[in-house]
Amino acid sequence: MNVLYWLEPWEPSPSVVIVIAGAAVLFLRGARHARVSPLRSVSFWFGLVALYIALHTRLDYYFEHEFFMHRLQHLVLHHLGPFFIAWSYPGAALRAGIPFRWRQRFVNPAMRAKPMRIVCNTVFHPVIAVLLFVGLIYFWLLSPIHFKAMLDWRLYRLMNWSMAIDGLLFWWLVLDPRPAPPARLAPGRRVMMVIAAIPPQIVLGAMIFFTPRELYPIYSICGRAFTWLSPMRDQQIGGLLIWIPGSMMSVIGALIALRHWMRLSARARLLGERASQPRLELKPKPKPKPKPKPKPKPV
């Protein structure tokens, strides 16, 4: 089978090529200056390639014509790809890949701007981050909205981009290995945040799996890629993909966040532990006593 045939995009998208290529160039440039271990490099490239495959290959045809393939696509866009990119912690390398003049002239002022700070404080708030992470899954799977998104290419691309961007923001927040500050959340909050995202995914997957009627007839109307698979079986497999792999990715994320918590605690790098650590005060060395002057000898 020709591999190049499958790498050819079903619907070419310049935005996907520009974003993926830009991230790859920045990481290659920055990895020469920032310390990036081989494991982190493999994790970053795996996540980036996974996003490209899910967005810009011949598989997109199957993502548009089978419900379980569509759920597999969003599992990669929302969980797998962003998870491995965030796990590689590429922030320092990507920043180092930007030319210094660009950073000073454009990036730093943009990040210090008040609107940008408001947006970051909002989307990185733990409650809002969990609501967005779970809410987008529910929103795009509402039957009327899903019907329109699979017919309108603009809504279809908005759906895919929103899932990928939200996945990057969520996993970047959860898998941050640093203490707080400079990280936005303490390690304990990261663990609780990713655990809170597990039950809604299980509930949604179970609801789709056990529903006795066809929820997404758009795939039967437009024609299914696998004619040997019944609509109900297709829907049940899609529900299982939300139920089991999606939830398991969150469990793995919680374990990694817990590992960061234990590592930082063992090194006394948590905020409360740093404050309680006794400070070593250096006592000043005693000044040497002056030697007594010799008495003058009598003449």
Side-chain angles (χ1 to χ4, degrees):
M1 186 176 294
N2 191 358
V3 178
L4 295 179
Y5 170 80
W6 291 102
L7 292 178
E8 182 181 345
W10 171 248
E11 293 179 348
S13 173
S15 58
V16 173
V17 176
I18 292 172
V19 172
I20 297 294
V25 171
L26 290 180
F27 189 82
L28 284 173
R29 283 174 50 90
R32 295 181 299 179
H33 306 287
R35 293 182 179 180
V36 181
S37 65
L39 181 60
R40 286 173 55 194
S41 296
V42 171
S43 178
F44 176 83
W45 289 115
F46 178 83
L48 196 67
V49 170
L51 290 182
Y52 181 84
I53 291 174
L55 288 171
H56 208 245
T57 59
R58 180 67 61 172
L59 290 174
D60 197 32
Y61 167 79
Y62 298 91
F63 298 150
E64 295 181 15
H65 291 82
E66 285 291 340
F67 178 70
F68 88 92
M69 289 294 293
H70 167 75
R71 294 318 309 158
L72 186 62
Q73 178 193 32
H74 278 202
L75 183 67
V76 174
L77 291 178
H78 202 218
H79 289 71
L80 192 69
F83 181 93
F84 277 93
I85 291 176
W87 193 19
S88 69
Y89 190 55
L94 293 175
R95 181 179 176 82
I98 302 174
F100 180 75
R101 292 184 178 178
W102 291 14
R103 274 182 278 163
Q104 294 295 319
R105 189 171 181 180
F106 303 109
V107 179
N108 294 341
M111 296 304 296
R112 288 194 297 263
K114 187 175 181 179
M116 179 61 71
R117 286 188 282 110
I118 293 175
V119 170
C120 291
N121 292 335
T122 302
V123 297
F124 285 123
H125 189 279
V127 176
I128 295 177
V130 174
L131 290 176
L132 280 175
F133 185 76
V134 177
L136 278 177
I137 303 176
Y138 276 76
F139 176 78
W140 290 115
L141 284 178
L142 293 173
S143 295
I145 295 176
H146 191 80
F147 190 92
K148 294 179 181 178
M150 300 307 292
L151 287 178
D152 190 337
W153 66 270
R154 293 164 296 186
L155 279 178
Y156 178 75
R157 290 186 179 179
L158 175 63
M159 174 178 64
N160 290 340
W161 275 112
S162 66
M163 296 296 283
I165 293 172
D166 179 67
L168 285 170
L169 294 175
F170 181 82
W171 293 115
W172 203 293
L173 190 62
V174 169
L175 301 180
D176 195 333
R178 302 171 300 172
R184 288 184 172 269
L185 290 181
R189 290 189 176 185
R190 297 176 217 160
V191 176
M192 297 305 297
M193 188 178 76
V194 71
I195 289 176
I198 297 175
Q201 297 179 77
I202 296 176
V203 170
L204 179 61
M207 287 172 56
I208 294 176
F209 180 83
F210 289 111
T211 299
R213 60 185 178 84
E214 188 178 359
L215 294 174
Y216 307 104
I218 182 64
Y219 298 97
S220 298
I221 295 173
C222 295
R224 294 181 176 273
F226 304 131
T227 56
W228 48 267
L229 192 64
S230 67
M232 289 306 301
R233 188 68 66 191
D234 177 30
Q235 183 171 295
Q236 289 174 341
I237 297 175
L240 285 177
L241 288 174
I242 303 173
W243 185 349
I244 300 176
S247 301
M248 285 304 300
M249 288 293 299
S250 298
V251 172
I252 295 172
L255 292 176
I256 294 176
L258 180 61
R259 179 176 176 272
H260 289 325
W261 188 6
M262 297 174 63
R263 174 180 55 83
L264 293 172
S265 180
R267 297 180 182 180
R269 295 191 61 191
L270 300 180
L271 184 60
E273 296 176 356
R274 282 182 288 177
S276 62
Q277 286 293 317
R279 294 184 179 181
L280 297 177
E281 296 183 0
L282 298 177
K283 296 182 179 180
K285 293 182 179 180
K287 295 182 180 180
K289 295 181 179 180
K291 294 181 179 181
K293 295 182 180 180
K295 295 181 179 181
K297 294 181 180 180
V299 179

